[in-house]
Structures are given as structure tokens and as C-alpha cells.
Amino acid sequence: MNKFEIAEILDQAAKHAKATQQLAADNEVSLEDAYEIQRLSIDKRLKRGEKVTGFKLGFTSRAKMEQMGVHDLIWGFLTDDMEIAAKGTTPLSKYIHPRVEPEIAFRVSEDITEAIGLKDIHKYIDKMAPALEIIDSRYENFKFSLEDVVADNCSSTGYVIGEWQDLDADITDLDIELYINNELKANGKSAAILNNPLVSVVELSRLASKAEIEIKKGMVILAGAATAAVYLNENETIETKIEKLGSVSFRVQ
Ligand code: OOG
Ligand code: MG
């Protein structure tokens, strides 16, 4: 199969919530090919009228790397179709085998067109918010290689953003908790995300500028989860509470 065919299979799997087998190994997909396939599949979404709303990083913490057996930082696209309103509801039937994880979101206040450093952050990022991400791998049994997950736009499926707060100088040691129906299911520290979640923005700026992709003012960046992800079921209220940032929730019906 060529890149176009793989992008089509992954796009259809996402559109119809139907899992596919892993594709990278059998088709000799390199990491570079995988990012090309990711972009081809995003192009299909854009052709259907979706808009890019931001980017997400993956495997920025050990907890996530260990859970999924993939040990390299990855990045993918978020679109408006993936956004779920805070306190909103989403049907379980829309997904294959969705998982949820707490995230820290950043808002871009100035176009990022080059690799930036931590010292420049306040020029480009003005707000932060508690967030939740729904990941729903298009591969059977949620199993994939690095190349597979990159081609699949890093399992990106849904995201919920809480209230934006002014960016605090120090967010390196925040408690992060994930509750399902008021029961604590996962917890971690923001330091687990590259020692400082703002480093995710630095890393994204490096990767995006190398790929000649602009991170536009108003876009959202998800820094990557600090905890393992948890499977979703019907009739659940999912909430994250993050120190200094507050909480955000949504419901699965
Ligand atoms: C890939 C997405 C990883 C994160 O925050 O690390 C990710 C997956 O686990 O399916 O979103
Ligand atoms: Mg994530």
C-alpha cells in the first residue's frame, strides 16, 4: 500500500469508528512517511470543512510511554470537529475504544513560526487551562508502533478545554487528578511532562518550524498527559482537577 491508501484507510477508520489492523510494518512506513500520512489524512478532514484548531504532543511523560510501549515524543493536529464543550456530552457510540487523559492546554497569543526557547514563552503563550483529551486509536486493541500512531494523527479524537487562566510563572509541580464519576482514577504531577509542561511548547515549535507548519495565534496546544489514560464507558462524568488551573469536565452517554 502507498501513503495515500494508508491515509484513506485511517481516515475512514476514524470517520466510521471502525478499527483497522496495524499498517506500518507491512508497508515499510518510516517515521518520515508516517508524518506524511498524518498530513494526508488531515487534508481529508480539511476538505470536509474541518479547521485546524491546534496541536497536541504525545509521549511527553514516562507514564504514557510505559503504558503504550512507545518512547518517542510525537505530535499531531487538533481540529474543530474534535472539540467538546466543557460540561458537554459526547456519545460513546462515536468512538472505537476511547480513553481519556488529563492535559494542560496553552493558548497561542502570537504566531509561532520558528523554534522558540523557554525564555520566549510569555511572548507567544498568554493563557493556560485544565483540559481533557479523548484518544481513540484507529488500530485494533489500541496497539501500535511509533510509525503507526504517528500516521494515525497520534490517536487524536476529542478534547475539552476549561477556563483560560493567565499563564503562571511556575507550573512545574502541579498536582493533576482524573476523576470518573467522582472516583479518583489516575493522578500525577505536571513535572512528569518533560520536567515542565512549557517545554512541550518549545518542542512543538522546533518540530513545527522544521516541518514548515505555522502555529497560529488563537490555537491550542495540549502538552501531553502526565498519567496513564483510562478507558471510557457509558454514563460517566469525567473530570480533571489541576492545582492552580482548576477543573473541567464532560459526560459520556
Ligand atoms: C497516543 C497519544 C499520546 C499523550 O498525551 O501522551 C498522547 C496514544 O496513547 O494513543 O496523547
Ligand atoms: Mg494526550
Side-chain angles (χ1 to χ4, degrees):
M1 260 183 279
N2 65 33
K3 290 172 206 158
F4 295 92
E5 290 164 329
I6 297 175
E8 177 66 15
I9 287 174
L10 290 170
D11 179 61
Q12 288 296 313
K15 200 165 160 225
H16 301 292
K18 209 167 173 317
T20 176
Q21 61 188 43
Q22 293 182 54
L23 300 162
D26 286 349
N27 294 285
E28 294 179 10
V29 173
S30 68
L31 187 57
E32 207 183 318
D33 296 335
Y35 277 105
E36 236 179 276
I37 295 166
Q38 181 190 114
R39 266 152 235 160
L40 291 170
S41 78
I42 292 300
D43 284 347
K44 292 177 189 292
R45 287 175 172 264
L46 300 186
K47 280 214 184 81
R48 288 198 291 271
E50 292 181 37
K51 303 265 180 300
V52 174
T53 50
F55 299 92
K56 56 91 62 88
L57 289 107
F59 305 132
T60 51
S61 73
R62 191 156 299 279
K64 284 289 302 182
M65 293 191 271
E66 297 299 316
Q67 183 181 31
M68 305 315 297
V70 174
H71 294 80
D72 277 290
L73 187 149
I74 58 176
W75 64 296
F77 290 78
L78 302 173
T79 73
D80 56 348
D81 192 54
M82 299 178 192
E83 193 173 352
I84 299 166
K87 296 204 174 85
T89 298
T90 188
L92 190 70
S93 58
K94 213 179 134 182
Y95 309 98
I96 304 168
H97 39 209
R99 284 172 155 162
V100 67
E101 56 194 19
E103 291 269 351
I104 294 176
F106 297 110
R107 191 176 77 180
V108 178
S109 55
E110 189 79 50
D111 292 358
I112 305 176
T113 55
E114 57 185 5
I116 63 170
L118 260 188
K119 60 174 185 356
D120 310 317
I121 279 290
H122 288 266
K123 199 176 143 205
Y124 295 98
I125 302 289
D126 64 345
K127 301 276 183 186
M128 58 184 189
L132 287 158
E133 184 183 16
I134 298 176
I135 47 176
D136 192 26
S137 175
R138 266 54 71 167
Y139 301 109
E140 287 160 1
N141 306 315
F142 223 116
K143 290 240 159 47
F144 44 67
S145 66
L146 173 66
E147 291 77 13
D148 277 316
V149 68
V150 164
D152 184 27
N153 192 30
C154 309
S155 311
S156 305
T157 302
Y159 68 91
V160 189
I161 308 278
E163 245 174 78
W164 291 110
Q165 323 275 331
D166 286 339
L167 191 63
D168 198 287
D170 187 4
I171 53 165
T172 54
D173 197 31
L174 310 180
D175 282 321
I176 300 175
E177 295 174 330
L178 177 70
Y179 291 86
I180 298 194
N181 290 343
N182 293 318
E183 204 180 305
L184 184 65
K185 291 285 183 184
N187 64 315
K189 283 273 187 188
S190 61
I193 307 161
L194 302 173
N195 294 322
N196 175 357
L198 285 167
V199 174
S200 289
V201 177
V202 170
E203 289 294 319
L204 176 69
S205 74
R206 183 178 57 78
L207 293 161
S209 67
K210 213 167 118 204
E212 297 183 350
I213 291 172
E214 286 190 9
I215 307 166
K216 294 286 204 187
K217 179 177 175 177
M219 283 185 168
V220 167
I221 298 171
L222 296 182
T227 69
V230 176
Y231 277 114
L232 288 172
N233 300 291
E234 256 172 16
N235 298 320
E236 286 181 340
T237 297
I238 296 89
E239 183 180 29
T240 183
K241 293 183 189 168
I242 306 182
E243 207 181 331
K244 285 192 187 177
L245 275 75
S247 67
V248 62
S249 67
F250 72 99
R251 194 163 164 77
V252 177
Q253 75 181 15

